[in-house]
Amino acid sequence: MRHTLLVVPTGHGVGLTSASLALVRAFDRQGIDVGFCKPIAQQSAGDTGPERSTTLLSLASALRPPEPLNRDRVEELLASGDDQGLMEEVVARCQAVLDSAEVVIVEGMVPSIDQTYSMRVNQALARTLDAEVILVGNPGERPPAEVAESMSIAARLYRDGEIERITGCILNRVMGDAQRHQDLKDALAARHLPLISLLPHIETLNRIRIADLVRQLDPEIINRGNLGRRIIRISVLGRSIPGVLKALKPGTLLITPGDRHDIIIAVCLAALNGVRLAGLLITACDLDPAVAELTAAAKATGLPILAVKSDTFETTSRVHNLDREIAADDRDRAELMMNSLADHLDQSWIQGFATRSRSRRLSPPAFRYGLIQRSRKADKRIVLPEGEEPRTIRAAVHCCQRNIARCVLLGNPGEIARQITSMGLVRPTNLEIIDPRSISEGYIEPLVALRKAKGLTPEIAREELSDAIVVGTMMLKLGHVDGLVSGAVHTTAHTIRPALQVIKTAPGCALVSSVFFMCLPDQVVVYGDCAVNPDPTAEQLADIALQSAASAVAFGIEPRVAMISYSTGTSGTGADVDKVREATRLARAKRPDLAIDGPLQYDAAVMASVGRSKLPGSAVAGQATVFVFPDLNTGNTVYKAVQRSANVVSIGPMLQGLAKPVNDLSRGALVEDIIYTIALTAIQAANA
């Protein structure tokens, strides 16, 4: 059954957009086919850009909502009394989404002084779309009974005779302790208003970028620096240097008069010493050229330096009054908002909209959400041998803070601690830092015993254990940790070689291979092998197919395995296509229950029309979820082409076939990539 959910506010400033987009993300995480539309555009005061709700959703998801009706057209129809004509145009705009999605989130209008018709339009939307209505309110500091009363009044507006459209209420930006939360719940229950969730006030969601300040204040840019830095706090500097030093913290926007040369130089010195300040805003006068020359070195740190003509008091007031709505180009903040608020929505309520008997696709948000939840449940200890590498440090801190895994950084403890401080991070209590030199001697004897057949001596073992990756591999072998992640600054071979020598393959596995989880716009699919085996035989290719199918199952993807070639079915011949054909036969013989077909060209594997034409009756053609490439040249090329050309997030490579989980990183890996690889590794360890 299809559902249309109209999300409407009970007043101004309730956070309607954040609640609406959080609902989209929460449904998507559950694998429910969700759509979104904002039928009528609304801009904030002074906002001349595109409509924010649809723009932000397009930035932070694969959904492409229909373009809203503009204000002039809406007011033209309403002024002529043609409400029905307006609703017909709304339906025309939204019909494609309404026809295709299982659940459609429709964001209503927010009341404003110059758009007094918003409530009238919302009521018309509910009737026209035959929508169930979700009320969104902001309790502020009002008594719970007053909050419930206002919600109840709003609910009455959406009763059409005997039809009760209210399906639930969301209270957004809720502050206070657990008792206040309970009082709010009780007050709503007394009014028979079903509560979906209390969404908390999250201060980090309000952090604008220096770029947003520049857009609104239009200052002179002395040094552009990194305009993506976020403003955590604002500090006005006018004291002596000892007093100023307390304000030099990561994320701080510093405001000071242009004639306070001592303060300006102190700020630049702090930036040169690794303090990641948000930016420096100079007021009231031009920067002295001699002082400007002294600040040149700090420019290389990415410190934005800006200047305005207004005095410090006026400037500070303007900064505090900046529009803190999420900018239409702020993908990171939009993602953070959607994910953070979706975490607090009642998942059992969300799941109630799912059709239990259907086969669900696994969307990228659902896949990533599932990774984090399952890794938290696994509670595994993961060693990171590249412990002094900045991205690795950030990922480890994040994983420990969110209980994704218990991370162990190998490296110089003093250097790691210094980097954590300079990044403005706080070391979690469950983050371990170990100097590999302090424990390497204890692994000499076990390593010699493991490789004595290869003639390894204690002297050679001691030399090998000077490499932190070898130390980490021995920690994994002896059960001191549950998994290993490396490769941010080392080659794949450097990470895998010790694992092949010490960990070895799992029982029943003839080789080690790899998969990437490719987060395509509408689903996650598996690519293998794109990182390890250059030219597998037919037997090895069959093993890779079965390993990849097992990995898909382990991570919630229904495996339909396409053995990729330049030919489909029996249309082509040659050694390369014959190898794929034989690998398909071998894999089917080992797993007759598995949906596997090949050889298949890529288009026949992914496009239903092409699949029906080239290989009719196939259970895989046109709907493949696991793609097995004939060799490393093909696999690596295709994965890179899809990743870069289609702007697709790829998670991996995840190694498969080892007795214990070891995973390699791309040397261009982002912090987010490392976090998800750690989560993958923890889940592999739990499934081992």
Side-chain angles (χ1 to χ4, degrees), residues 72 128 133 149 178 204 213 227 286 294 379 388 407 415 422 439 480 496 500 533 549 574 618-619 641 651 687:
D72 290 344
T128 302
V133 174
E149 178 67 20
T204 55
L213 179 148
L227 298 183
D286 296 328
L294 289 174
D379 188 31
E388 298 176 20
C407 293
E415 171 60 20
S422 68
I439 60 173
H480 299 161
I496 296 178
L500 293 173
N533 297 285
S618 171
I651 299 174
N687 293 337

Side-chain angles (χ1 to χ4, degrees), residues 236-278:
V236 181
L237 304 180
R239 294 170 290 176
S240 61
I241 294 301
V244 166
L245 296 178
K246 298 177 182 178
L248 301 180
K249 297 177 180 179
T252 303
L253 171 66
L254 302 161
I255 303 175
T256 192
D259 58 0
R260 286 303 303 269
H261 305 148
D262 54 339
I263 293 177
I264 294 170
I265 293 172
V267 170
C268 292
L269 285 173
L272 287 168
N273 279 296
V275 180
R276 199 173 186 275
L277 301 164

Side-chain angles (χ1 to χ4, degrees), residues 514-515 526-530 536 540-549 560-565 580 583-584 596-597 599-600 602 605 624-631 634-635 656:
S514 72
V515 290
V526 175
Y527 280 8
D529 170 14
C530 304
Q540 290 173 329
L541 199 58
D543 282 344
I544 291 170
L546 298 183
Q547 288 179 356
S548 300
R560 294 184 290 273
V561 185
M563 306 294 285
I564 300 299
S565 180
V580 175
T584 305
I596 179 169
D597 215 338
L600 277 167
Y602 194 93
T625 57
V626 178
F627 299 78
V628 179
F629 297 101
D631 51 51
T634 305
Q656 48 193 17

Side-chain angles (χ1 to χ4, degrees), residues 459-479:
E459 290 74 21
I460 298 175
R462 180 176 287 106
E463 182 178 345
E464 289 190 2
L465 285 163
S466 64
D467 184 341
I469 294 178
V470 178
V471 173
T473 304
M474 287 301 297
M475 293 173 73
L476 179 59
K477 175 66 178 179
L478 298 182

